Amino acid sequence: MRLSIDVMLDYTIDGEADVLLLIEAAKGADQRLELQDLRVYSPEPLRAVPGEDGIGQRCWARGKGAFRAEYKAVVEILRTPVDFSSLGDTPIRLMPPETIPYLLPSRYCESDRLEGFVTQEFGGLAAGPLATALTAWVAEHLTYASGASSGTTTALMTFAERRGVCRDYAHLLVALARAGGIPARCVSAYAPGVDPPDFHAVAELWIGGGWHLVDATRMASCGNLVRVAVGRDATDIAFMTVFGGATLNQQTVSVTPL
């Protein structure tokens, strides 16, 4: 699948502040950038830095008053769906060292508080079969509701409320997977058909010797997701972080199949 991506961010910065942008599609073996163009109206030169795990890149900018960023890209997605139920288990002690941070609790994914639930509800399952069951549980037990959560909502809060947006679905699935011994990380992404159109958040689970994208909202599949960045939770994958105050004027995200 080929996707056209068009993003516009229009903010007013209170005074002057550093801005960290994370909106560029990542290059990778499973997605190819045919073209991309990032334009940021900043009083100082931009500075690019690598994203978490070397996936994608962040961009430092300086905001002063009116701040606008525009991003356009065409991306070809090369990955194909995988049947999780056929993926085998890897003992934790034999997993690659880069998976270790994604086995541990983080600020918004309190996996240690969900271990009892996973053991009770999914005991006897591991790896692919467990990932399949956890994804289905989150999809079936949460209700997608815009405005139902905030930037401080954690996986445990979503588990109690049983509703949220894509960020909350991703946090809960990641926390449950980690509680079950599956390395899991959050992923910011672009996808067509997201309602309302916006930046999207999904999970990525390490099973069967590799990372696999999962969207528990069921709005997208691995075959039409464009990975932007990865991290422990939403803290690491925010599309824009302002080290100061800012007011949103307008923001649009359009993802169209070609």
Side-chain angles (χ1 to χ4, degrees), residues 225-238:
L225 284 167
V226 174
R227 187 189 292 103
V228 175
V230 304
R232 296 162 298 171
D233 51 39
T235 305
D236 297 331
I237 63 172

Side-chain angles (χ1 to χ4, degrees), residues 245-258:
T247 301
L248 168 65
N249 299 317
Q250 186 180 8
Q251 176 176 299
T252 59
V253 178
S254 174
V255 183
T256 309
L258 296 176

Side-chain angles (χ1 to χ4, degrees), residues 22 58 107-108 167 171 231-238 241:
L22 193 51
R58 296 182 170 96
R107 179 180 180 183
Y108 294 110
R167 173 186 186 273
H171 277 163
R232 296 162 298 171
D233 51 39
T235 305
D236 297 331
I237 63 172
T241 303

Side-chain angles (χ1 to χ4, degrees), residues 21-221:
L21 293 172
L22 193 51
I23 61 176
E24 298 170 81
K27 297 179 181 178
D30 60 351
Q31 57 187 45
R32 183 174 67 88
L33 275 63
E34 295 186 5
L35 63 88
Q36 68 171 342
D37 179 44
L38 173 65
R39 301 187 182 189
V40 181
Y41 299 85
S42 170
E44 296 184 14
L46 305 181
R47 184 170 72 89
V49 294
E52 292 289 323
D53 296 344
I55 296 175
Q57 70 175 18
R58 296 182 170 96
C59 178
W60 280 108
R62 186 70 176 168
K64 184 178 181 180
F67 181 84
R68 185 181 177 95
E70 299 171 354
Y71 177 68
K72 299 180 185 295
V74 174
V75 182
E76 181 183 13
I77 302 171
L78 304 172
R79 75 185 72 91
T80 56
V82 174
D83 179 7
F84 284 0
S85 63
S86 65
L87 298 179
D89 191 15
T90 301
I92 290 179
R93 69 183 185 281
L94 299 180
M95 291 180 181
E98 60 268 22
T99 65
I100 293 175
Y102 302 113
L103 281 165
L104 306 175
S106 60
R107 179 180 180 183
Y108 294 110
C109 299
E110 315 99 318
S111 52
D112 53 327
R113 302 285 299 276
L114 292 165
E115 290 176 359
F117 170 76
V118 172
T119 299
Q120 179 179 349
E121 294 293 320
F122 305 97
L125 296 179
L130 176 58
T132 301
L134 292 175
T135 302
W137 190 94
V138 173
E140 294 165 6
H141 286 79
L142 295 192
T143 298
Y144 193 96
S146 297
S149 61
S150 70
T152 60
T153 301
T154 69
L156 200 60
M157 295 164 67
T158 300
F159 180 76
E161 293 292 332
R162 302 293 169 94
R163 59 180 184 158
V165 295
C166 61
R167 173 186 186 273
D168 306 305
Y169 278 70
H171 277 163
L172 184 53
L173 178 54
V174 164
L176 290 171
R178 291 177 187 171
I182 298 174
R185 59 193 185 189
C186 289
V187 178
S188 58
Y190 294 114
V194 172
D195 186 20
D198 204 345
F199 297 98
H200 200 39
V202 298
E204 195 165 32
L205 311 183
W206 196 89
I207 43 179
W211 289 104
H212 302 278
L213 291 167
V214 188
D215 183 7
T217 70
R218 294 180 173 171
M219 285 193 284
S221 68

